[in-house]
Amino acid sequence: MISDKIRDILNEQINKEFYSAYLYLSMSAYFSEIGMYGFSNWTKVQSKEEIDHGMILFEYVLGRNSQIHLGQISTPNFDMNSPLEVFEQIYQHERSITSAIDAVANMTEGECDLATRNFIDWYLNEQIEEEAAVLRIISKLKTFGSEKSALYLIDKELSQREYESPSY
Ligand code: FEO
């Protein structure tokens, strides 16, 4: 059993992960509409991973004999001016998710909940990987993105990303 405080913050995190899935899915639609199918693929794969992140939390809460409270998912909102701008917003979004995961980790320590502290380590590591992956794309876009031919090649590269179920 987990405390009510831990239950509530994990339920909030489920909502944040599903919001992330919505956000990436709407970005995928935007990229598809402007013919950037590699960017569309990358964000669609990320959307699927975010659903996995939410579901791992969902199963954990139930597995600890606690309750799921699914809240409303907000409408995704982002500026669609260029791939670089979208990815800069992705980076800011992922930083906010990292802060949210940090808050969960801090709360588990306050509640002396070592099992959930151990569980949430996977998310802390996942956030490091996600932020780094997004920063690499931003760096390429900043360096080469003003050239249409280079943008085409970055799009082609991002089309190679394949969905893999997280190894939790
Ligand atoms: Fe599940 Fe992108 O954080």
Side-chain angles (χ1 to χ4, degrees):
M1 192 73 175
I2 53 180
S3 72
D4 289 354
K5 280 171 81 173
I6 296 293
R7 175 200 64 202
D8 291 348
I9 201 168
L10 291 179
N11 271 286
E12 283 168 24
Q13 192 60 37
I14 290 170
N15 188 276
K16 289 183 191 340
E17 300 293 348
F18 281 108
Y19 172 76
S20 298
Y22 252 38
L23 180 66
Y24 282 111
L25 197 57
S26 66
M27 289 169 168
S28 177
Y30 159 69
F31 284 125
S32 182
E33 282 161 17
I34 62 171
M36 302 189 82
Y37 300 111
F39 283 90
S40 178
N41 172 66
W42 194 96
T43 43
K44 194 189 295 175
V45 169
Q46 188 61 37
S47 176
K48 288 181 187 167
E49 287 200 4
E50 299 298 352
I51 291 172
D52 290 332
H53 298 170
M55 289 308 297
I56 292 167
L57 285 156
F58 177 94
E59 299 295 352
Y60 179 77
V61 171
L62 288 180
R64 299 301 309 280
N65 194 26
S66 192
Q67 301 84 36
I68 291 291
H69 298 139
L70 295 178
Q72 186 171 355
I73 300 172
S74 303
T75 302
N77 190 19
F78 63 100
D79 295 327
M80 311 177 191
N81 295 325
S82 68
L84 176 58
E85 227 177 89
V86 172
F87 270 79
E88 282 175 334
Q89 290 170 88
I90 289 175
Y91 182 61
Q92 291 310 320
H93 174 71
E94 288 301 341
R95 285 191 62 182
S96 77
I97 295 294
T98 300
S99 297
I101 297 288
D102 284 345
V104 176
N106 285 332
M107 185 178 284
T108 61
E109 289 177 8
E111 295 285 295
C112 300
D113 183 346
L114 298 182
T116 307
R117 178 68 190 81
N118 185 50
F119 166 76
I120 215 69
D121 262 349
W122 183 85
Y123 284 83
L124 291 169
N125 290 324
E126 182 73 7
Q127 284 309 119
I128 293 170
E129 283 179 24
E130 287 198 359
E131 285 190 22
V134 173
L135 279 176
R136 279 196 295 274
I137 295 169
I138 289 174
S139 179
K140 282 182 194 170
L141 287 170
K142 279 186 174 167
T143 306
F144 307 111
S146 55
E147 301 285 335
K148 279 200 173 162
S149 54
L151 205 50
Y152 173 78
L153 290 175
I154 297 171
D155 189 64
K156 202 168 169 187
E157 183 187 330
L158 298 187
S159 72
Q160 303 300 311
R161 185 180 186 190
E162 289 181 9
Y163 168 72
E164 283 175 35
S165 164
S167 56
Y168 184 82

